[in-house]
Amino acid sequence: MDFSRVFDLLVLGGGNAALCAAITAREAGLSVLVVESAPVHYRGGNSRHTRNLRAMHSGPLDVLTDAYPEEEYWQDLVKVTAGLTDERLARMTIRGTESHLPWMRRHGVRFQAPLGGTLHLARTNAFFLGGGKALVNAYYAAAERLGVGISYDTEVTDLEMQGDRFVSATVSTRGEEHRIRAQAVVAASGGFESNLEWLREAWGPPADNFLIRGTPYNMGRVLKLLLAKGAKPVGDATQGHCVAIDARSPKFDGGIVTRVDAVSLGIVVNRDARRFYDEGEDFWPKRYAIWGRLVANEPGQIAYSIIDAKSMGKFMPPVYPPLKAASIAELARALGLDAAALERTVAGFNASVRPGTFDHTKLDDCATEGLAPPKTHWARRIDTPPFFAYPLRPGITFTYLGVGVDDKARMLMGDGKPSANVFAAGEIMAGNVLGKGYLAGIGMAIGTTFGRIAGEEAARHVRA
């Protein structure tokens, strides 16, 4: 790699947003270099672990059924974020998704029929054939065919800025340091979820029990450098895409297969064998990302999802098998819980369940009565052995603290004015759209929309 030349565009990061920006800018005629901190076999950031993109459409589109209009998408987002979102940028994200599927196909991405069970996504989300790793591989192949330069194992150690203008990046690769100059830069290097020290600064001691389901390479170095150079911060360091994953998962890089999707079909208890939240509040894709934070606020950051034989086979099985027992008391002992306490909790729950018609494809009328917290939908007595349990820990996918951007993906400086030549896309700016909460497939929507915008606007800047 010739680091001495001046590139039209330097892209920091190697995931979905970075590659969308690089491909778009290269197709517009720019010389482009992508620097990826991970080695080639870990390339792609958290995009390696994704499996779908949420897309609006006015009618059937590719693998998507029926219609999913902008306003419904927007209301779904408002609900999960409790209104903590920039409406203008959010609606830009949503509108952009209508053109993504044909663009992605042109660059080698393939789709499959949607998955069923608890996911309810046939109408709203397009699933990638082969998952996120296949998508990443397709984009890298497309970028290489177009002549995009790619440097792996390349860590950004400093950024040279003159006021609001990017001049160069200092990188370390294979024991050597290089200065890379470019007329524009796209920051698409993710959040700081792999930086355990930074997580502890934000969360305190509970962070020691967090598992990082995403890439181990998102250390937040570029984010920290940009903030130090005067970028406008957006978002809360304690907010992020945080789901309940199997407590037996590895510390890093467990990915999507560690997520436990049984929550809405049973009850969830803490280490005191007490329930602490409504498991049936809404469809799972609109609620799974609150459960990591819920578990994080419980004693010891541990919880247990408990179901009976009636629910087995009705959800996507995680990579780890459940604990199995012939009785609730036996299950409690296997989990290290007080058997009498768990029996009381289950008995109280069972007694509160009102008759209804169970239907996990809709917000049914199976609910509890006189129970705190309630279970609003899909409440069925846990009374059919064998009984099963999954231990849960908070699993951090990505963090929402990032940099502000405008509608051209230009990074905002502290005074609210856009940088002259710094653009941002993906997780590093997702906090503009996601103040809190998460909606299945919205991360890929943000990254693809703003990655393409960043590539287009960088090309426009360089040509001018």
Side-chain angles (χ1 to χ4, degrees):
M1 183 66 63
D2 180 10
F3 292 112
S4 64
R5 62 180 291 195
V6 179
F7 292 89
D8 292 330
L9 178 64
L10 174 63
V11 179
L12 310 179
N16 171 64
L19 294 167
C20 288
I23 289 168
T24 301
R26 181 63 188 137
E27 288 180 331
L30 271 59
S31 60
V32 182
L33 174 63
V34 171
V35 294
E36 162 67 291
S37 63
V40 63
H41 55 281
Y42 270 115
R43 69 185 184 183
N46 289 332
S47 303
R48 296 185 311 117
H49 294 305
T50 190
R51 68 184 166 198
N52 62 77
L53 175 143
R54 181 171 291 255
M56 69 164 279
H57 49 104
S58 56
L61 175 66
D62 206 304
V63 293
L64 297 169
T65 62
D66 301 323
Y68 187 43
E70 176 186 337
E71 195 58 31
E72 183 183 355
Y73 197 148
W74 163 246
Q75 291 300 328
D76 285 343
L77 181 61
V78 169
K79 188 172 183 180
V80 298
T81 61
L84 291 177
T85 180
D86 183 314
E87 181 172 356
R88 186 181 184 192
L89 299 181
R91 286 189 181 272
M92 281 184 60
T93 297
I94 292 168
R95 293 185 194 117
T97 60
E98 193 161 29
S99 68
H100 289 343
L101 269 64
W103 187 89
M104 295 166 80
R105 277 202 182 274
R106 288 200 303 273
H107 295 96
V109 179
R110 296 293 177 261
F111 298 94
Q112 67 178 56
L115 304 175
T118 59
L119 294 178
H120 317 289
L121 296 174
R123 186 172 62 88
T124 59
N125 290 48
F127 283 75
F128 314 129
L129 182 62
K133 189 168 286 188
L135 174 137
V136 165
N137 289 343
Y139 280 163
Y140 270 102
E144 289 166 0
R145 284 194 302 270
L146 289 166
V148 173
I150 301 167
S151 182
Y152 299 104
D153 286 303
T154 304
E155 182 181 323
V156 178
T157 58
D158 197 13
L159 297 173
E160 181 185 355
M161 301 276 292
Q162 292 180 355
D164 65 353
R165 180 177 292 276
F166 168 81
V167 177
S168 68
T170 302
V171 302
S172 176
T173 180
R174 298 171 181 84
E176 297 181 349
E177 193 170 86
H178 301 275
R179 178 172 176 257
I180 306 174
R181 293 170 296 160
Q183 294 191 57
V185 65
V186 172
S189 51
F192 67 89
E193 65 279 354
S194 304
N195 190 325
L196 302 182
E197 182 179 343
W198 199 343
L199 283 178
R200 205 173 198 277
E201 286 177 15
W203 278 87
D208 294 341
N209 290 322
F210 292 177
L211 302 175
I212 316 306
R213 72 194 285 251
T215 176
Y217 292 92
N218 277 10
M219 297 294 291
R221 293 188 181 94
V222 171
L223 172 60
K224 187 163 282 191
L225 286 168
L226 290 172
L227 293 175
K229 300 292 182 180
K232 177 184 176 180
V234 167
D236 179 348
T238 68
Q239 292 288 347
H241 183 350
C242 180
V243 307
I245 68 173
D246 197 294
R248 298 164 289 183
S249 303
K251 184 68 174 178
F252 293 98
D253 216 40
I256 202 163
V257 297
T258 61
R259 192 178 77 202
V260 176
D261 288 345
V263 167
S264 59
L265 293 167
I267 63 172
V268 177
V269 300
N270 60 18
R271 70 180 185 188
D272 299 322
R274 295 180 181 272
R275 291 177 61 250
F276 52 90
Y277 198 80
D278 181 353
E279 301 90 348
E281 186 177 36
D282 204 343
F283 288 121
W284 188 232
K286 300 178 184 180
R287 282 293 175 267
Y288 73 80
I290 71 170
W291 278 90
R293 194 175 184 86
L294 290 170
V295 173
N297 289 324
E298 291 302 304
Q301 296 72 55
I302 188 75
Y304 306 90
S305 173
I306 295 172
I307 58 175
D308 69 5
K310 296 192 300 294
S311 296
M312 288 303 291
K314 297 186 182 300
F315 58 93
M316 182 81 66
V319 68
Y320 295 98
L323 283 77
K324 179 180 177 181
S327 69
I328 293 297
E330 181 185 338
L331 189 66
R333 288 190 288 271
L335 296 172
L337 300 178
D338 182 280
L342 185 59
E343 285 181 319
R344 284 194 300 272
T345 294
V346 172
F349 173 80
N350 287 348
S352 73
V353 173
R354 301 278 68 86
T357 303
F358 177 81
D359 186 347
H360 207 240
T361 67
K362 64 181 183 180
L363 298 174
D364 68 11
D365 60 352
C366 291
T368 60
E369 184 178 311
L371 188 69
K375 185 171 183 184
T376 312
H377 304 286
W378 313 303
R380 294 192 294 178
R381 292 168 59 90
I382 300 174
D383 59 5
T384 307
F387 302 96
F388 302 90
Y390 294 95
L392 306 175
R393 287 248 184 235
I396 310 294
T397 309
F398 67 91
T399 48
Y400 290 173
L401 178 66
V403 297
V405 296
D406 67 7
D407 58 2
K408 295 182 178 179
R410 296 178 298 185
M411 186 183 78
L412 301 179
M413 304 303 292
D415 60 4
K417 296 179 181 177
S419 165
N421 64 345
V422 181
F423 303 85
E427 292 173 6
I428 201 169
M429 50 68 60
N432 291 270
V433 176
L434 294 168
K436 61 183 271 189
Y438 191 74
L439 193 62
I442 189 73
M444 286 295 292
I446 295 169
T448 307
T449 293
F450 276 90
R452 292 177 64 188
I453 291 173
E456 291 167 0
E457 294 298 331
R460 190 170 288 115
H461 167 79
V462 170
R463 287 196 301 264

